[in-house]
């Protein structure tokens, strides 16, 4: 897919969007390109006449082909917003120079995003604002403490959380949601912690397992269709000596 598939179009140093302003562009001429490494020389096949009226004039040089993979990014315990972002890969035969892109969704202006220098095959993540069609909330569903009995000095703290995601029935189509949450890490041999109630299953690639071990970070990739909802559960059991006062944190 390209940016047009999101309702976006254009290049890094021009406007992104499909709207009335695009009708003002003149028909794009055929151009030849000389790749100079991190820059490119665009050679127009004709002379362009620019009026000397002190006003800026704009015309198309070239369309920049981008392969775009959109997703919604959510961290329910930190924000109830769903952030639309996309990984854009340059698939053309010439570099893309750095610049600011104006982002439009249909006629609506969403804001700006900056592109770095990109060679063919390079990728970058672009931020495209908040998606109002995806609602995000969370709640604590279990919060228990079991004190030790007569033959033990170990207390257990159990906490489970639930996130609820719901895609509006008015959404234009299915979406991919990337959700992240963290479970506290153990930094003392006086206690132990075990993740529980991870459902649906979190991502388990080598990279994701390393993040779980090093930062307590869990990630889910969920597909939602218009009108569909999804619950995600995560939690932990913490065991510690009853005289020890643990401090819980996530990196």
């Amino acid at each position: 897919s390209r940016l047009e598939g999101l309702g976006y179009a254009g290049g890094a140093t021009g406007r992104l969007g499909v709207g009335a302003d695009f009708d003002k562009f003149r028909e794009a001429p055929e151009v030849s390109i000389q790749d100079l490494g991190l820059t490119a020389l665009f050679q127009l096949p004709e002379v362009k006449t620019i009026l000397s009226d002190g006003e800026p004039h704009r015309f198309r040089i070239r369309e920049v082909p981008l392969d775009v993979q959109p997703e919604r990014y959510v961290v329910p315990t930190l924000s109830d917003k769903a952030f639309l972002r996309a990984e854009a890969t340059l698939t053309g035969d010439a570099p893309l120079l750095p610049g600011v892109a104006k982002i439009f969704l249909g006629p609506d202006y969403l804001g700006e995003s900056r592109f770095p220098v990109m060679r063919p095959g390079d990728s970058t993540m672009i931020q495209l604002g908040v998606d109002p069609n995806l609602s995000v909330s969370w709640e604590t569903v279990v919060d228990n403490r079991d004190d030790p009995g007569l033959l033990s000095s170990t207390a257990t703290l159990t906490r489970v959380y639930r996130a609820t995601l719901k895609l509006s029935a008015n959404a234009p189509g299915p979406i991919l949601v990337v959700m992240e949450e963290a479970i506290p890490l153990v930094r003392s041999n006086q206690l132990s912690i075990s993740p529980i109630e991870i459902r649906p299953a979190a991502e388990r690639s080598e990279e994701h397992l390393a993040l779980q071990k090093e930062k307590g970070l869990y990630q889910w990739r969920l597909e939602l269709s218009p009108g569909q909802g999804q619950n995600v559960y995560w939690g932990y059991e913490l065991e510690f000596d009853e005289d020890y006062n643990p401090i819980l944190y996530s990196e």
Side-chain angles (χ1 to χ4, degrees), residues 28-44:
E30 294 294 329
V31 299
S32 61
I33 303 169
Q34 183 180 357
D35 188 349
L36 303 177
L38 293 180
T39 63
L41 177 62
F42 293 84
Q43 298 172 325
L44 298 180

Side-chain angles (χ1 to χ4, degrees), residues 128-165:
L128 301 171
V130 173
D131 185 354
N133 288 315
L134 182 61
S135 63
V136 181
S137 62
W138 74 281
E139 60 183 327
T140 302
V141 294
V142 177
D143 188 0
N144 293 331
R145 172 170 174 157
D146 293 330
D147 290 321
L150 295 177
L151 302 179
S152 173
S153 63
T154 301
T156 301
L157 184 67
T158 303
R159 288 179 179 167
V160 178
Y161 307 96
R162 176 176 61 205
T164 301
L165 312 177

Side-chain angles (χ1 to χ4, degrees), residues 30 38 44 50 56 58 75 86 98 105 108 124-125 144 154 164 192 194 199 206 216-217 229 248:
E30 294 294 329
L38 293 180
L44 298 180
I50 300 177
R58 181 184 302 169
V75 184
L105 179 58
D108 300 323
T124 187
M125 187 68 74
N144 293 331
T154 301
T164 301
S192 64
S194 302
R199 51 189 173 93
E206 183 176 340
L217 184 64
L248 305 179

Side-chain angles (χ1 to χ4, degrees), residues 23-104:
D23 294 333
K24 299 177 182 178
F25 282 114
R26 298 181 58 182
E27 185 69 19
E30 294 294 329
V31 299
S32 61
I33 303 169
Q34 183 180 357
D35 188 349
L36 303 177
L38 293 180
T39 63
L41 177 62
F42 293 84
Q43 298 172 325
L44 298 180
E46 59 181 305
V47 175
K48 306 299 294 186
T49 300
I50 300 177
L51 297 178
S52 57
D53 54 7
E55 297 294 327
H57 296 272
R58 181 184 302 169
F59 54 88
R60 274 188 187 155
I61 296 177
R62 171 181 177 82
E63 290 188 359
V64 178
L66 295 171
D67 178 70
V68 178
Q69 301 298 326
E71 61 188 27
R72 277 69 176 172
Y73 177 72
V74 299
V75 184
T77 56
L78 295 182
S79 176
D80 61 359
K81 301 292 190 297
F83 297 95
L84 176 59
R85 65 185 189 180
E87 183 179 24
T89 301
L90 182 61
T91 60
D93 56 1
L96 177 64
L97 304 184
V100 175
K102 294 184 178 180
I103 309 297
F104 286 79

Side-chain angles (χ1 to χ4, degrees), residues 4 36 45 63 78 92 122 126 148 216 242:
E4 287 88 338
L36 303 177
E63 290 188 359
L78 295 182
D122 288 348
I126 54 176
E242 64 176 333

